[in-house]
Amino acid sequence: MDLKIAAHSVGSWGMRPVFDDLAQGAAGVEMGPDNLFIHMTGMSDRTWRRLRDAGAQVSLAFPIEMSMRHGTPPILKMQRLGMEPSLSSDVETTMAADPFTQMRSAMTMQRMLVNQLILDQGDLVPPNNWPTPAPGTPELLTVRDVLRYATVNGAKHLGLDGRTGTLTPGKEADIVLLDATALNVAPLNSVPGAIVSLMDRTNVETVIIAGKVRKWKGKLLDADLPRLRRELETSRDHLFAAMDLKQDLFAWS
């Protein structure tokens, strides 16, 4: 039916043997570009090579993978295989789902790992405390890398890059305007750097979806936020009552 197939694959949940079998064609499953796998933590090298060779896509949810014991987000594995991820929010009730959080988590986590690899190649004693990276050391991610992960890669992995993901004539008018005059990015010196390293949701000034303005001058349009908040609170109250849980705003952490 020419549909995209998305599946979560988490090694720490015991999924590795299943995905090893699927990668080898068990049950008649044939992996290909229509597959999008989320997380891919703890998967075998054989499965990784099979997914790459089949043209399957991988999306990483860096904050969730790090906080929910999925395992280390496999960005270094993807770099070594010549693959690039898109970014996933995964669990919006556990961690902020906005793209700025996703991009910063991706870049800082990857750079932490690679920076430590490089430091371990020396001995922390001058002049060898800042060694030249050994051949084969993964490249540090840049702000442009993670900006690509958050935009065109997401569209590409969903099969939508012919319609959105870049500002290209003929594509749908999906546009986000960011406030670069705000104090948190002043003075502006690098547009990609400011977006990835400094901005947050307050910088989202205007949003246009398929040519229709949905947010204008920092305010959502056609959205009854007080009503939505009441509905969310009613749903929460129902769930707590059904589970016989006492509501205590300071008990959960």
Side-chain angles (χ1 to χ4, degrees), residues 33-181:
D34 57 345
N35 289 112
L36 173 61
F37 295 101
I38 304 169
H39 307 307
M40 283 295 292
T41 52
M43 296 296 152
S44 69
D45 290 345
R46 182 177 65 175
T47 292
W48 270 106
R49 288 192 297 269
R50 176 70 187 108
L51 297 189
R52 179 200 60 188
D53 295 344
Q57 313 293 348
V58 174
S59 194
L60 300 182
F62 285 84
I64 293 300
E65 289 148 9
M66 289 189 287
S67 66
M68 294 182 66
R69 202 179 291 171
H70 286 22
T72 301
I75 181 62
L76 300 190
K77 172 72 71 176
M78 295 191 72
Q79 286 184 276
R80 292 186 175 111
L81 291 172
M83 302 172 69
E84 284 196 357
S86 53
L87 302 181
S88 298
S89 57
D90 192 34
V91 185
E92 291 85 349
T93 55
T94 300
M95 193 73 65
D98 65 274
F100 303 103
T101 295
Q102 305 301 320
M103 289 188 290
R104 267 196 290 278
S105 296
M107 190 175 75
T108 55
M109 177 263 172
Q110 190 269 357
R111 291 175 75 94
M112 175 197 71
L113 292 177
V114 175
N115 283 331
Q116 190 62 53
L117 284 174
I118 295 171
L119 291 174
D120 289 344
Q121 293 166 13
D123 54 20
L124 300 184
V125 177
N128 203 30
N129 57 311
W130 197 265
T132 299
T137 301
E139 294 290 330
L140 292 169
L141 288 185
T142 68
V143 290
R144 287 186 178 273
D145 289 330
V146 295
L147 191 58
R148 186 171 61 254
Y149 296 172
T151 54
V152 64
N153 281 16
K156 186 181 300 181
H157 290 184
L158 293 173
L160 299 174
D161 50 315
R163 293 165 46 191
T164 188
T166 58
L167 296 177
T168 304
K171 290 188 178 182
E172 294 184 0
D174 290 336
I175 302 170
V176 178
L177 301 181
L178 303 172
D179 182 4
T181 67

